[in-house]
């Protein structure tokens, strides 16, 4: 006698026996992937900047631009800016938050690597061109052609990192 996957109810009609499902793994939420990849890009540019500036005298000083922007904003609001150590810490935290949000625009989709690369290149060019018109000075990111190239390179690398992490996170299942 063959056993089938049906059971008989009270009214003697056949009913299927439910099989237990295997636990399925789901992809990470798109917003979470975007946020994590943005944070990875922000950390990449910050670590790269902080490392190179300690060893190379012509390195871009984006931290100084951040310090100037914070101090200028505080003065505009009628506040006294904190000392340089606190300004530097605030500048780094502000860079991580703002760059994280910016690089999260690379998204979590199939084109994240390309989008991250384009965003990185645009941020690098903006880092060279915008500080002067914003009244923050041109020397920290554009004093030499080499400094300008490094500025663009830092942000380009960060965009590639953000895009690559987003692409990798598309495959991760939890």
């Amino acid at each position: 006698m063959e056993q089938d996957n049906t059971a008989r109810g009270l009214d003697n009609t056949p009913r299927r026996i439910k099989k237990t499902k295997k636990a399925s793994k789901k992809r990470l939420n798109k917003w979470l992937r975007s946020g994590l990849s943005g944070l990875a890009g922000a950390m990449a540019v910050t670590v790269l900047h902080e490392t190179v500036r300690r060893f190379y005298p012509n390195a871009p000083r984006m931290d100084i631009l951040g310090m100037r922007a914070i101090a200028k904003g505080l003065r505009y609001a009628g506040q006294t800016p904190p000392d340089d150590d606190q300004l530097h810490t605030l500048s780094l935290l502000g860079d991580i938050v703002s760059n994280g949000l910016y690089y999260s625009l690379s998204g979590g989709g199939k084109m994240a690597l390309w989008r991250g690369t384009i965003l990185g290149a645009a941020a690098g060019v903006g880092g060279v061109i915008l500080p002067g018109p914003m009244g923050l000075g041109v020397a920290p990111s554009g004093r030499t052609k080499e400094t300008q190239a490094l500025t663009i390179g830092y942000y380009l690398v960060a965009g590639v990192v953000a895009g690559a992490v987003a692409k990798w996170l598309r495959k991760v299942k939890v």
Side-chain angles (χ1 to χ4, degrees):
M1 180 179 243
E2 241 180 78
Q3 188 173 3
D4 60 359
N5 287 338
T6 58
R8 300 278 176 187
L10 293 176
D11 59 354
N12 209 20
T13 56
R15 300 193 179 179
R16 289 194 78 91
I17 299 174
K18 292 183 180 179
K19 296 181 182 180
T20 35
K21 290 183 177 180
K22 294 180 181 177
S24 66
K25 293 188 175 188
K26 296 181 181 180
R27 284 191 173 137
L28 288 175
N29 180 315
K30 184 177 180 179
W31 291 96
L32 180 60
R33 287 193 316 253
S34 295
L36 289 173
S37 63
L39 181 62
M43 293 301 292
V45 73
T46 303
V47 167
L48 185 61
H49 168 259
E50 284 297 306
T51 302
V52 174
R53 80 171 181 86
R54 295 176 194 275
F55 300 106
Y56 190 63
N58 283 337
R61 295 298 307 268
M62 303 312 280
D63 57 326
I64 291 175
L65 288 176
M67 292 167 62
R68 289 177 183 173
I70 292 169
K72 187 175 182 178
L74 287 173
R75 281 191 207 99
Y76 185 76
Q79 302 292 318
T80 305
D83 64 357
D84 283 350
D85 287 340
Q86 284 183 314
L87 268 177
H88 188 261
T89 302
L90 290 173
S91 172
L92 291 180
L93 289 174
D95 283 347
I96 290 170
V97 170
S98 60
N99 286 330
L101 289 171
Y102 179 75
Y103 285 117
S104 70
L105 295 175
S106 65
K110 293 179 181 178
M111 300 298 289
L113 186 58
W114 286 107
R115 248 188 319 270
T117 303
I118 292 167
L119 285 169
V125 171
V128 171
I129 294 173
L130 293 177
M134 293 173 64
L136 301 174
V138 294
S141 64
R143 67 182 163 273
T144 66
K145 294 291 183 192
E146 187 177 22
T147 306
Q148 292 172 355
L150 284 171
T151 300
I152 294 169
Y154 287 175
Y155 287 99
L156 180 62
V157 166
V160 170
V161 166
V165 168
K167 185 176 179 179
W168 175 73
L169 286 174
R170 277 182 57 81
K171 298 175 187 174
V172 172
K173 293 185 180 182
V174 289

